[in-house]
Amino acid sequence: MNRFGFLIHPLGMRDIVRHLPNVAGKRESLVKKILEWTPSYHASDITGVQSAYDGREIEGGFYTVPLFPQQITGLDRNFVVGRILDACRLAEKDGAQIVGLGGYTSVVGSAGLNVAKEMEIAVTSGNSYTTATAIEGATKACELLGLDPRQATVAVVGATGSIGSVCSKILAQRGVGTLLLLGRSEIRLANVAEDIHALAPSVQLETSIDMNTSLRRADLVVSCTSSGGDILQPPLFKTGAVICDVAVPHDVCREVAQLRPDVLVIEGGVCVAPGKNPKFNFDFGFPEGICLACMAETMILTMEGLFEDFSIGRGLQIEKVEEISRLAKKHGFKLAGFRAFDEPITAERIEQVKTLSKERRLDQHSFPVSLANPSEAKQS
């Protein structure tokens, strides 16, 4: 039976407390120090995942790198990569033929290249299928709200990253009203824009490092940064906007759920694993049988017997995104129902966004700017 390993890590104190309730109330600085001393370990076995194509069953395991995102990006690079390699070797020792780098373990070491070079077994980040499902999910969400991306302003936050850049290229090829690339480096944004113009010369394209001003124009936002979470705050969004949050930890802060009922936030890349009774035997915040697309990519490659480095490095290929999307359909992986902030999104919630966005647009057309948006009047 083909076997895989997948690397996970805690995203914050909530993850630690979920598994170790006695840690509640402890200082985060103390917990971080304890995590630095804790070796990588095998967290659970994954069973019951079965191909819809040929009935082939696979098995796997979760392997924990016990570091927070800030530690993975902030501690000594050799130390962090060493911890990741320790987890990969545990998976290899257990018989894994491929290992997936989940969360921030795929960010360090030249986006997984350094890890892949050290391993005998195949390595993938899962970013190709994450990209495919993000675009599919965002498109479906737009359809539910009656929004046509081909006539909309579409913003990609983190457009210079591995997922953001290939997302931007695919969106440009499919056609959008205006494509707005957001990032922290003007030079890197210009390079991505040049690549996009070569693929889709007719696309209306803008770049910006000023997220606060630019995002308020976007009808659809795809956010895929490695910022550590909570960079997208409630005031940033246009009424009626769809926000597809692909980042882990999430870019959209939880306050948006309470303060902006007029926008639709969805988690990108949430999938249903095929099989009669898929069990991950580990609580990572989803119902049993539901997984992230990066996990799914590792399982898809295992089902296919495609044991090669797949989504590795910062330059993801459109061809890889298309290939993994085809293989996912072949083996029976599909998008799960929309979720956000640990809860499923209901039909009533979608209707609420449609109603509120319509009402607010009417209010803005019915009154002078000074009444509809006092902050704009104050600036003028």
Side-chain angles (χ1 to χ4, degrees):
M1 185 182 294
N2 289 348
R3 183 177 175 88
F4 67 93
F6 189 82
L7 271 52
I8 57 176
H9 63 84
L11 300 179
M13 286 295 291
R14 290 180 64 194
D15 281 350
I16 299 292
V17 172
R18 182 188 294 135
H19 299 286
L20 298 170
N22 60 326
V23 175
K26 297 290 192 296
R27 288 181 293 112
E28 185 171 326
S29 58
L30 173 63
V31 173
K32 284 183 174 180
K33 185 55 65 176
I34 293 172
L35 291 178
E36 287 182 39
W37 297 334
T38 305
S40 301
Y41 61 90
H42 175 221
S44 75
D45 286 314
I46 300 168
T47 60
V49 182
Q50 190 174 14
S51 170
Y53 173 70
D54 57 11
R56 176 181 300 181
E57 188 171 341
I58 60 172
E59 61 183 14
F62 282 136
Y63 297 83
T64 298
V65 179
L67 295 170
F68 287 149
Q70 308 96 307
Q71 294 176 292
I72 292 175
T73 57
L75 292 173
D76 177 77
R77 189 59 52 88
N78 291 330
F79 169 79
V80 173
V81 171
R83 281 292 184 81
I84 293 170
L85 285 170
D86 288 343
C88 290
R89 287 168 181 145
L90 286 174
E92 184 178 27
K93 185 178 178 181
D94 289 341
Q97 295 145 292
I98 186 170
V99 64
L101 306 178
Y104 275 46
T105 66
S106 67
V107 174
V108 298
S110 299
L113 279 174
N114 293 352
V115 173
K117 288 177 182 177
E118 294 292 328
M119 294 301 301
E120 295 292 331
I121 61 175
V123 178
T124 189
S125 68
N127 285 346
S128 292
Y129 195 47
T130 297
T131 300
T133 54
I135 293 173
E136 183 181 353
T139 302
K140 287 187 176 180
C142 286
E143 289 175 1
L144 291 174
L145 291 186
L147 176 64
D148 185 355
R150 294 171 299 179
Q151 300 176 3
T153 297
V154 179
V156 179
V157 183
T160 61
S162 58
I163 294 176
S165 60
V166 76
C167 264
S168 300
K169 292 171 185 176
I170 293 172
L171 288 166
Q173 284 186 321
R174 293 187 179 184
V176 297
T178 299
L179 183 59
L180 177 57
L181 308 180
L182 298 173
R184 291 180 294 183
S185 166
E186 291 181 340
I187 294 174
R188 293 181 65 188
L189 284 169
N191 290 337
V192 174
E194 185 177 351
D195 291 341
I196 291 172
H197 274 306
L199 288 169
S202 62
V203 68
Q204 185 172 335
L205 187 63
E206 300 177 25
T207 64
S208 177
I209 59 172
D210 183 1
M211 183 174 67
N212 291 340
T213 300
S214 301
L215 266 190
R216 292 183 175 90
R217 299 165 42 210
D219 304 292
L220 169 62
V221 178
V222 179
S223 192
C224 38
T225 79
S226 55
S227 65
D230 293 348
I231 63 169
L232 301 184
Q233 300 292 319
L236 291 178
F237 303 115
K238 178 180 180 179
T239 288
V242 172
I243 304 104
C244 180
D245 191 349
V246 187
V248 178
H250 294 310
D251 284 336
V252 180
C253 73
R254 301 183 74 87
E255 286 77 9
V256 172
Q258 288 78 40
L259 300 179
R260 294 300 306 270
D262 60 323
V263 301
L264 180 64
V265 179
I266 63 170
E267 293 177 2
V270 182
C271 306
V272 179
K276 293 181 180 178
N277 193 25
K279 286 189 174 297
F280 297 107
N281 299 303
F282 186 87
D283 180 10
F284 52 91
F286 291 163
E288 199 70 88
I290 304 296
C291 63
L292 292 171
C294 52
M295 301 175 189
E297 178 173 308
T298 310
M299 291 186 273
I300 293 163
L301 295 172
T302 304
M303 285 179 179
E304 187 68 13
L306 191 59
F307 299 123
E308 62 182 44
D309 296 342
F310 198 81
S311 303
I312 290 297
R314 303 193 187 282
L316 289 182
Q317 302 170 20
I318 294 175
E319 294 77 17
K320 293 275 191 181
V321 176
E322 293 171 343
E323 181 182 6
I324 200 67
S325 184
R326 177 183 61 80
L327 292 175
K329 290 180 174 65
K330 171 183 173 180
H331 290 290
F333 286 84
K334 59 183 179 180
L335 281 183
F338 292 133
R339 295 179 63 86
F341 308 110
D342 304 324
E343 298 289 340
I345 296 173
T346 63
E348 291 77 14
R349 171 75 184 105
I350 292 169
E351 286 302 315
Q352 181 188 35
V353 175
K354 291 170 72 173
T355 300
L356 287 174
S357 61
K358 185 183 295 184
E359 289 175 353
R360 292 194 180 184
R361 287 193 188 103
L362 287 173
D363 287 343
Q364 289 169 354
H365 286 301
S366 300
F367 298 101
V369 168
S370 58
L371 295 179
N373 193 338
S375 63
E376 287 187 15
K378 191 173 183 179
Q379 290 172 3
S380 63

